[in-house]
Amino acid sequence: MIQFKPRQSKIATKDGKRLWYPNAISSGEIITTKRIANDIAARSGASVGDVIGILMDLGPIMRNHLSDGRRVILNGVGSFRISANARGKGVESKEKVTANQFSSVKVIFFPEKSINRHLGVEENSLISSELRFTPAVEKLKKDKPGGGGSVPGNGGSGL
């Protein structure tokens, strides 16, 4: 379940209204390489150590292929490619174009998509068809030191 909070647009509509939209928020939980390795090991029968070794090799291997201008496709995940921009560094003629004009380089990721034949729609392989959204629960702010700061529903112990 993904939580969301209301967020007001910074851009007004033609009639001057700033509309509100749901804004998905992260749970804050971080899933580490070790957690992913444990999950893969449990499903595959490979050892956690072997999976960690493979995952640690993935980055440098992908970097090598991407650095050679290749696109990397991981089935079930998606594709990766390099993008470079030369914003604000244009020149007057094509003869003057050089690699030194690039001002930023980044990796672009496209999640794998497939067609759901039953529904006739395109689906993203990394988004569960069971995905649901729920309004975020506001966290209670603790009182200033010495103020008590109890949380409702736990007997006032502050735990």
Side-chain angles (χ1 to χ4, degrees):
M1 186 99 34
I2 295 178
Q3 293 186 348
F4 68 91
K5 289 183 177 180
R7 190 174 114 214
Q8 192 172 31
S9 174
K10 294 179 182 178
I11 301 170
T13 61
K14 291 178 183 178
D15 55 350
K17 294 180 183 174
R18 291 178 49 216
L19 302 177
W20 289 84
Y21 296 91
N23 185 40
I25 57 172
S26 170
S27 70
E29 182 181 6
I30 296 171
I31 304 301
T32 65
T33 302
K34 185 168 183 169
R35 168 73 185 273
I36 296 293
N38 282 323
D39 292 350
I40 291 172
R43 293 180 91 178
S44 70
S47 76
V48 173
D50 285 345
V51 176
I52 287 175
I54 291 167
L55 290 173
M56 296 305 291
D57 287 340
L58 182 62
I61 289 170
M62 286 181 61
R63 180 176 47 244
N64 289 342
H65 289 297
L66 292 168
S67 295
D68 286 336
R70 298 182 182 115
R71 199 168 121 210
V72 175
I73 298 174
L74 299 178
N75 294 342
V77 177
S79 67
F80 302 80
R81 70 173 179 82
I82 293 287
S83 172
N85 290 313
R87 286 206 175 95
K89 294 193 172 189
V91 292
E92 304 258 337
S93 68
K94 66 180 179 180
E95 292 80 22
K96 292 183 180 180
V97 172
T98 69
N100 292 333
Q101 290 173 257
F102 288 119
S103 56
S104 69
V105 178
K106 59 186 172 183
V107 175
I108 303 293
F109 170 67
F110 295 98
E112 181 178 86
K113 292 183 179 178
S114 61
I115 302 296
N116 181 322
R117 295 175 198 230
H118 300 293
L119 300 176
V121 296
E122 198 173 74
E123 293 182 338
N124 179 320
S125 67
L126 296 178
I127 298 175
S128 169
S129 60
E130 307 295 316
L131 180 67
R132 300 293 178 261
F133 293 92
T134 185
V137 177
E138 290 293 326
K139 293 182 181 178
L140 295 175
K141 295 179 183 178
K142 291 187 179 184
D143 291 339
K144 293 179 184 176
S150 67
V151 177
N154 69 357
S157 67
L159 298 177

